């Protein structure tokens, strides 16, 4: 598993701005686009780039905290 796979990523519709928003709150605030499938692919690339950047700088990655349905037992 790649390190970037540890971080929860998703795409959702923003009705106010009429655009899809891709999120990975543990690493980035988000990106936006018009095609949800393409946007998710771009989001995965951006997250991978952020992970690579942290590693190239010798910085510690933040722990993955956001998990879907984390509170459900």
């Amino acid at each position: 598993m790649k390190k970037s796979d540890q971080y929860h990523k998703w795409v959702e519709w923003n009705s106010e701005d009429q655009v899809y928003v891709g999120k990975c709150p543990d690493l980035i605030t988000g990106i936006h686009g018009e095609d949800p499938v393409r946007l998710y692919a771009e989001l995965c690339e951006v997250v991978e780039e952020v992970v690579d950047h942290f590693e190239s700088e010798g910085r510690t990655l933040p722990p993955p905290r956001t998990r879907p349905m984390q509170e459900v037992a």
Side-chain angles (χ1 to χ4, degrees):
M1 176 188 327
K2 298 186 297 185
K3 288 183 183 177
S4 61
D5 291 341
Q6 298 174 32
Y7 294 94
H8 186 64
K9 302 173 276 299
W10 72 91
V11 172
E12 63 187 21
W13 177 250
N14 182 305
S15 58
E16 182 178 325
D17 296 326
Q18 295 292 297
V19 69
Y20 288 98
V21 179
K23 298 181 178 184
C24 180
D26 291 333
L27 292 179
I28 64 171
T29 56
I31 62 175
H32 64 277
E34 306 217 357
D35 178 343
V37 174
R38 185 182 205 176
L39 182 61
Y40 186 78
E42 290 174 10
L43 177 61
C44 290
E45 289 176 17
V46 169
V47 169
E48 186 71 31
E49 290 170 3
V50 170
V51 169
D52 290 346
H53 177 73
F54 267 77
E55 290 180 335
S56 72
E57 300 255 323
R59 295 172 52 197
T60 303
L61 284 161
R65 296 175 303 206
T66 304
R67 291 284 166 244
M69 305 207 43
Q70 184 172 4
E71 303 299 320
V72 176

